[in-house]
Amino acid sequence: MNIVFVLFPNLTQLDFTGPLQVLSRLPGARVHLAASTMAPVSTDTPALTIPPTTTFADCPPPDLLCVPGGFGVDDAIRDAELMAFVRRAGERARWLTSVCTGAFVLGAARLLKGKKATTHWAYHAELARVGAIPTKARVVRDGNVVTGGGVTAGLDFAFSVAAEVAGEAVARAIQLGLEYDPHPPFDCGTPERADAMTLDALQKRYGPRLSTLREALAEALARA
Amino acid sequence: MNIVFVLFPNLTQLDFTGPLQVLSRLPGARVHLAASTMAPVSTDTPALTIPPTTTFADCPPPDLLCVPGGFGVDDAIRDAELMAFVRRAGERARWLTSVCTGAFVLGAARLLKGKKATTHWAYHAELARVGAIPTKARVVRDGNVVTGGGVTAGLDFAFSVAAEVAGEAVARAIQLGLEYDPHPPFDCGTPERADAMTLDALQKRYGPRLSTLREALAEALARA
């Protein structure tokens, strides 16, 4: 089973390293990190760059495609080679998946039309722009499309995908091995439960990002 | 603030990428990924290698040291240069921290003596070998030493550390940005809550690893 993560500059690294930790433990998994070139890919964390294992051109056809998110999504949507790779995968892959704003890469490739989907809370309403049905949940499955919410939702997403792909017993064994029994020290991980000041500060930060994403999506959908 | 992650071959990548995602967002954080050489470091996930940002020799003195775990810990404990770096950090750093079996690297450097600490559930009792007080919790703080449990505990650990270092408001804002509101699809992330068959399978897998860790620790403590 070829599990392919799509890498692009300025991705949010945990969107991909979380699911990678879980899905790479699936029996028979062959994991590929695919990018435009073999040069290490930048992430939102300046200290961390990720060496790809393959280019899009050389990557075997994915059985499971996973697209992470991050501020780099705007440019990823404008990358013709990346988008062609995702569209090709869309025709063949058994599973099409995303974490966080990676959903908009699937969406720009017209793979979310009429599908229930989720993404990072700050971008959730934007899913309608790509014809998806915005669905408030940490993990959403609609047919062969599985989307996860923001960043850390990639873990809940990955255990759900693991169970779909390899059965619940396998998913449970991986969960115990990774000691996934979360106890957040604070209860403020969603806008509904955050205090007003924190929420306001975050919304101010994401506001400009919503505009640039909308532009990138409008261009992509006009071309498609 | 210099935040230094200690890298070594065959580390468990999420032990470090989880805390990295959180701690790199602290105001004023300068993150360094330190290893013996500048060659990309292997992880438990064959597809993923991590390019260090510095060698141990060139790394600025850590204000916060974080040691991840993984099966590579046995060899890390035998790496004289790595251990010297950790011991030096132990004399100067404001915060000494570990995730998962990274605790045994701190322990082999005699930094956990008399300290309450935690680690991955399968290795928990071994903490007594390094003079620590094994403490069952997902995150344990004792003075300037903060230890996290297995792998995914690194997230709860990181938000706790973020709050200690930069205050609760900062930690909460990072948590909302990373949408950390976990909902595991299964409730089996600890040995107490796992079914007997899953637990048995995992214990068989970790059994041989306990022996090799004990040997590495015995050698290190005999030398120290």
Side-chain angles (χ1 to χ4, degrees):
Chain A
M1 179 179 205
N2 287 308
I3 298 177
V4 177
F5 289 89
V6 174
L7 302 189
F8 50 85
N10 203 14
L11 59 83
T12 297
Q13 59 92 0
L14 190 57
D15 286 9
F16 127 78
T17 51
L20 177 70
Q21 187 70 62
V22 176
L23 299 180
S24 64
R25 295 195 174 186
L26 291 177
R30 299 188 55 197
V31 176
H32 309 272
L33 313 182
S36 294
T37 73
M38 293 301 283
V41 174
S42 68
T43 72
D44 67 316
T45 310
L48 185 65
T49 59
I50 310 285
T53 62
T54 179
T55 60
F56 295 128
D58 290 336
C59 187
D63 298 301
L64 189 156
L65 182 82
C66 184
V67 186
F71 291 154
V73 157
D74 296 1
D75 290 332
I77 289 171
R78 292 189 174 100
D79 179 331
E81 196 191 358
L82 182 153
M83 290 303 293
F85 179 80
V86 170
R87 276 193 298 268
R88 276 199 307 278
E91 290 164 14
R92 301 172 170 210
R94 173 72 188 88
W95 297 98
L96 296 170
T97 76
S98 64
V99 175
C100 198
T101 52
F104 295 102
V105 175
L106 296 183
R110 303 272 192 188
L111 298 173
L112 295 185
K113 274 179 86 171
K115 300 275 186 186
K116 285 183 265 184
T118 192
T119 186
H120 189 285
W121 62 263
Y123 297 80
H124 205 265
E126 309 299 315
L127 285 168
R129 289 177 193 267
V130 294
I133 304 160
T135 304
K136 283 268 178 196
R138 204 149 161 88
V139 185
V140 173
R141 179 184 165 188
D142 187 337
N144 73 331
V145 175
V146 188
T147 49
V151 198
T152 57
L155 283 171
D156 300 323
F157 155 88
F159 288 110
S160 300
V161 170
E164 295 279 1
V165 168
E168 198 177 307
V170 169
R172 283 175 170 273
I174 298 172
Q175 186 172 344
L176 180 58
L178 300 178
E179 205 169 329
Y180 190 47
D181 175 45
H183 284 77
F186 312 110
D187 181 17
C188 61
T190 65
E192 292 75 21
R193 291 219 292 285
D195 62 279
M197 208 177 72
T198 304
L199 185 57
D200 187 54
L202 273 270
Q203 278 171 332
K204 280 191 183 119
R205 195 181 306 165
Y206 288 118
R209 296 296 181 164
L210 285 175
S211 308
T212 60
L213 176 64
R214 282 173 194 152
E215 284 166 31
L217 286 174
E219 287 170 31
L221 297 172
R223 267 196 310 271
Chain B
M1 178 180 207
N2 287 309
I3 299 177
V4 177
F5 289 90
V6 173
L7 301 189
F8 49 84
N10 203 14
L11 60 82
T12 297
Q13 59 93 359
L14 190 57
D15 286 11
F16 127 77
T17 51
L20 176 70
Q21 187 70 62
V22 176
L23 299 179
S24 64
R25 295 195 176 188
L26 291 177
R30 299 188 55 197
V31 176
H32 309 271
L33 313 182
S36 294
T37 72
M38 293 301 282
V41 174
S42 68
T43 72
D44 66 317
T45 309
L48 185 66
T49 60
I50 310 285
T53 63
T54 180
T55 61
F56 295 128
D58 290 336
C59 187
D63 298 300
L64 189 156
L65 183 82
C66 184
V67 186
F71 291 153
V73 156
D74 296 1
D75 289 332
I77 289 170
R78 292 189 173 99
D79 179 331
E81 195 191 357
L82 182 152
M83 290 303 293
F85 179 80
V86 170
R87 274 192 299 268
R88 275 198 309 278
E91 291 164 14
R92 302 171 167 210
R94 173 73 189 86
W95 297 98
L96 297 169
T97 75
S98 64
V99 176
C100 199
T101 53
F104 295 102
V105 175
L106 296 184
R110 303 271 191 191
L111 298 173
L112 295 185
K113 274 178 85 172
K115 300 274 186 186
K116 286 183 265 185
T118 191
T119 185
H120 189 284
W121 62 263
Y123 297 81
H124 205 266
E126 308 300 314
L127 285 169
R129 289 177 193 268
V130 294
I133 304 161
T135 304
K136 283 268 177 196
R138 204 150 163 87
V139 185
V140 173
R141 179 184 166 188
D142 187 337
N144 72 332
V145 175
V146 189
T147 50
V151 198
T152 57
L155 283 172
D156 300 324
F157 155 90
F159 287 110
S160 300
V161 170
E164 296 279 2
V165 168
E168 197 177 308
V170 169
R172 283 175 170 271
I174 299 172
Q175 185 172 343
L176 180 58
L178 300 178
E179 205 170 329
Y180 189 47
D181 175 45
H183 283 77
F186 312 110
D187 181 17
C188 62
T190 64
E192 293 75 20
R193 291 220 291 285
D195 62 279
M197 207 176 72
T198 303
L199 185 58
D200 187 54
L202 273 271
Q203 278 170 332
K204 280 191 182 119
R205 195 181 306 166
Y206 288 118
R209 295 296 181 162
L210 285 175
S211 309
T212 60
L213 176 64
R214 283 173 195 153
E215 284 166 32
L217 286 174
E219 287 171 31
L221 297 172
R223 265 197 311 272

